Amino acid sequence: MLTLFYCDHYDIPLPPGHKFPVRKYRLLREALTADCAIDLAPAPLAFEHDLRRIHDADFVAAFLDGSIDPIKMRRIGFPWSRGLVDRTLASVGGTLAATRTALQTGLAGVLAGGTHHAFRHEGSGFCVFNDMAVSAAWLLEQQPSLRIAFIDLDVHQGDGTAAIFAEEPRVFSLSLHGAQNFPFRKQKSSLDIEFPDGTTDQAYVAALKTGLAAVSVFGPGFAYFQSGVDGLAGDRLGRLGLTLAGLAERDRLVLSWMSARGIPGVITLGGGYSDPIERTVEAHAQTFRLAATFLPDFSKPRRTFSR
Ligand SMILES: [Zn+2]
């Protein structure tokens, strides 16, 4: 069974009308509960020392104890609360746990995380800490010769991830995103592929193939797939024109690319802001149901790509 860690056992207290779609996490877990190919597990909390592998100690301490500058919280977009701290620690802890699981099974996921706008010294855009970067740093500590790829398919650039690993030759960051969308000051990923507003399935899929070919040349031994679905047509924050079928094709391309090359990895959530939110939930659920069908291909003996 495909193990997925969830975080909605910790609630983020938000004021009425806040634009973060906190409901989607519970709805997604509920949508996957009946799937007998999926095993849902509560995410454990990350420890402070996990966060400090990537994030500045002052930033970590100030967020955890609530003394963080309100200007920094405004950039993140959430009011500070003890509930937000627990939820954030679970989000990072879920991706760490999924990483450890994927080392055993080949593939695992987290129904949270993918918080790719978080930088070393500050958060941004609904992202406090960068769960994927923290987990990758743990992996590199365990296996110093490992090469890690980020396949970031959220409609917004993975700017935090790109900046964090800008000088790290063992990491390749691929980001496919809307050219006209947040963040408006882009960072430099290993490879950025930008789309004009309204881009549809065919152009997107062709660009993804080009991107994955570049990652193949890099030769990763582990991958993080940030599977944001805010590229879906009609998404409130998306600006692209992808269909559910196009997103399924996207997911199939990434998963078959990973499994064919024996690259274990973790699927994280990402953005998705459709109205109604059920449409976003359907797109996320589709990703994880498809991933569960790929799991047997990941469980086969693997080549290692460490160099
Ligand atoms: Zn996004």
Side-chain angles (χ1 to χ4, degrees):
M1 287 206 288
L2 180 68
T3 300
L4 303 176
F5 292 89
Y6 62 85
C7 294
D8 65 290
H9 52 311
Y10 295 104
D11 193 26
I12 311 178
L14 292 178
H18 193 281
K19 70 177 177 178
F20 186 74
V22 71
R23 276 176 67 233
K24 87 170 181 182
Y25 297 86
R26 177 178 55 79
L27 291 173
L28 176 59
R29 176 175 53 77
E30 288 171 357
L32 297 173
T33 298
D35 196 314
C36 56
I38 288 173
D39 177 33
L40 294 166
L45 299 180
F47 294 105
E48 188 168 353
H49 68 257
D50 293 321
L51 304 168
R52 287 167 63 156
R53 286 196 179 93
I54 287 295
H55 295 287
D56 290 353
D58 292 351
F59 166 41
V60 171
F63 176 73
L64 295 182
D65 71 14
S67 64
I68 185 167
D69 186 337
I71 292 170
K72 286 199 164 191
M73 286 312 298
R74 270 205 294 281
R75 204 166 295 147
I76 288 167
F78 295 128
W80 187 90
S81 64
R82 180 51 55 193
L84 177 66
V85 170
D86 287 342
R87 173 69 166 248
T88 301
L89 292 177
S91 180
V92 178
T95 303
L96 268 168
T99 300
R100 293 179 178 123
T101 303
L103 291 177
Q104 306 298 319
T105 64
L107 187 66
V110 56
L111 303 182
T115 46
H116 58 172
H117 300 310
F119 289 75
R120 285 187 189 273
H121 61 287
E122 64 178 359
S124 159
F126 302 144
C127 303
V128 182
F129 299 127
N130 194 313
D131 58 301
M132 299 181 294
V134 166
S135 301
W138 174 81
L139 256 181
L140 289 172
E141 209 171 276
Q142 305 298 309
Q143 303 182 40
S145 62
L146 190 67
R147 293 162 77 88
I148 299 175
F150 291 88
I151 314 293
D152 190 329
L153 303 188
D154 191 279
V155 83
H156 304 102
Q157 191 202 32
D159 55 342
T161 312
I164 286 168
F165 293 116
E167 306 295 327
E168 175 51 79
R170 295 171 294 176
V171 168
F172 190 103
S173 53
L174 169 67
S175 179
L176 274 66
H177 51 263
Q180 304 301 324
N181 215 323
F182 177 91
F184 301 107
R185 192 193 310 158
K186 305 277 194 289
Q187 301 292 320
K188 194 172 171 0
S189 310
S190 306
L191 178 59
D192 289 300
I193 299 180
E194 299 201 321
F195 298 105
D197 289 357
T199 293
T200 52
D201 296 342
Q202 207 180 357
Y204 188 94
V205 163
L208 176 57
K209 286 179 181 167
T210 303
L212 290 175
V215 187
S216 297
V217 172
F218 172 75
F222 198 93
Y224 287 94
F225 172 19
Q226 205 276 20
S227 68
V229 296
D230 37 13
L232 194 60
D235 187 283
R236 288 186 296 117
L237 304 182
R239 310 177 73 107
L240 297 194
L242 306 183
T243 66
L244 274 175
L247 285 172
E249 179 60 17
R250 172 199 83 163
D251 297 340
R252 195 173 294 114
L253 267 174
V254 175
L255 290 162
S256 59
W257 174 84
M258 288 169 68
S259 62
R261 284 162 186 76
I263 303 168
V266 167
I267 306 171
T268 74
L269 232 53
Y273 310 92
S274 290
D275 187 10
I277 199 65
E278 281 76 6
R279 193 166 151 74
T280 287
V281 171
E282 189 182 348
H284 281 312
Q286 159 176 284
T287 300
F288 291 104
R289 290 195 185 109
L290 185 70
T293 69
F294 270 89
L295 183 63
D297 299 335
F298 280 85
S299 307
K300 290 170 188 158
R302 297 189 296 273
R303 289 194 280 156
T304 61
F305 277 78
S306 307
R307 290 178 185 166

